[in-house]
Amino acid sequence: MPAFVHAALVRLGVPCPVPEVLPSILGVRVRPDQENPLGLALATEAHPPGIRGADAEREVNRMCRELGLPFRLRRIPFQTIYAEAWEDVLTTALSRKAVVGVGVDYHVLMSTEPIRPAQHVLRVVQWREDAVGLFDDSGETVPPHLEIGREQVCRAVMAISDGLWIIGQGPDLSLPFTLPWSDAA
């Protein structure tokens, strides 16, 4: 998720000279058995590895406010989108020049056997009738560019009850088929 946030901010014209600080700023935690070159906080039973979506949204928006940036993150779970119109929400956000990611179970997306749940955010780089072009900004996927069928993307999102991660100008985050959005702190 921090790699997606970094890539989104760079694409929106924000200079981010030290992307390595984002995981710590956002509160990402790592498992005790993972490599930890950034010295991140260790996961515990009360604070699992990674970062919960709601916490990520709050922390990204706090960081943007503190830096005086006009950008915000809006996370929209698929189950909250009216009439399952996630494709319309995604294409509208892209047309507004927002950066859009999808929160997926990586193993479901890639049709691999899971070792443990693998929640991941991939950036949408292309939208076609038959497939979604995704990019893994974290560098964990080789090659980082994927072409995945829309139904497979939907299954991978629904497997972890996630959705769209949209970073853009605040007013652009009010989107059709979704609940009202507010920039309340």
Side-chain angles (χ1 to χ4, degrees):
M1 187 279 301
F4 165 73
V5 170
H6 174 260
L9 291 175
V10 168
R11 292 206 171 317
L12 293 167
V14 177
C16 292
V18 191
E20 301 83 26
V21 301
L22 277 176
S24 180
I25 289 171
L26 300 177
V28 175
R29 292 177 177 264
V30 297
R31 292 186 324 270
D33 63 330
Q34 282 181 293
E35 289 186 36
N36 191 2
L38 301 178
L40 299 175
L42 295 179
T44 63
E45 199 170 308
H47 301 283
I51 184 171
R52 290 180 334 114
D55 294 338
E57 186 174 16
R58 182 187 66 246
E59 292 304 317
V60 167
N61 291 338
R62 179 193 53 77
M63 177 186 73
C64 287
R65 276 187 209 90
E66 287 177 2
L67 295 173
L69 300 174
F71 306 111
R72 298 293 183 267
L73 167 62
R74 181 174 185 197
R75 201 173 134 267
I76 308 172
F78 274 13
Q79 67 262 28
T80 68
I81 298 173
Y82 178 75
E84 300 177 5
W86 68 271
E87 295 168 341
D88 295 317
V89 175
L90 185 147
T91 57
T92 300
L94 289 174
S95 74
R96 293 179 181 177
K97 307 297 182 218
V99 178
V100 180
V102 288
V104 298
D105 181 313
Y106 188 77
H107 296 296
V108 172
L109 185 75
M110 302 302 288
S111 299
T112 59
E113 288 297 318
I115 299 168
R116 65 178 66 83
Q119 187 169 0
H120 207 57
V121 179
L122 300 168
R123 185 167 41 91
V124 176
V125 293
Q126 186 178 29
W127 176 257
R128 293 195 327 255
E129 191 65 31
D130 61 334
V132 182
L134 301 172
F135 193 87
D136 185 354
D137 294 297
S138 74
E140 294 178 32
T141 304
V142 179
H145 189 269
L146 305 166
E147 295 288 326
I148 306 287
R150 292 183 349 211
E151 291 302 316
Q152 183 73 10
V153 170
C154 187
R155 277 193 297 278
V157 170
M158 295 304 288
I160 57 169
S161 299
D162 208 332
L164 300 173
W165 295 59
I166 304 170
I167 297 180
Q169 297 271 345
D172 291 339
L173 299 178
S174 289
L175 294 156
F177 307 110
T178 65
L179 297 169
W181 182 78
S182 167
D183 189 23

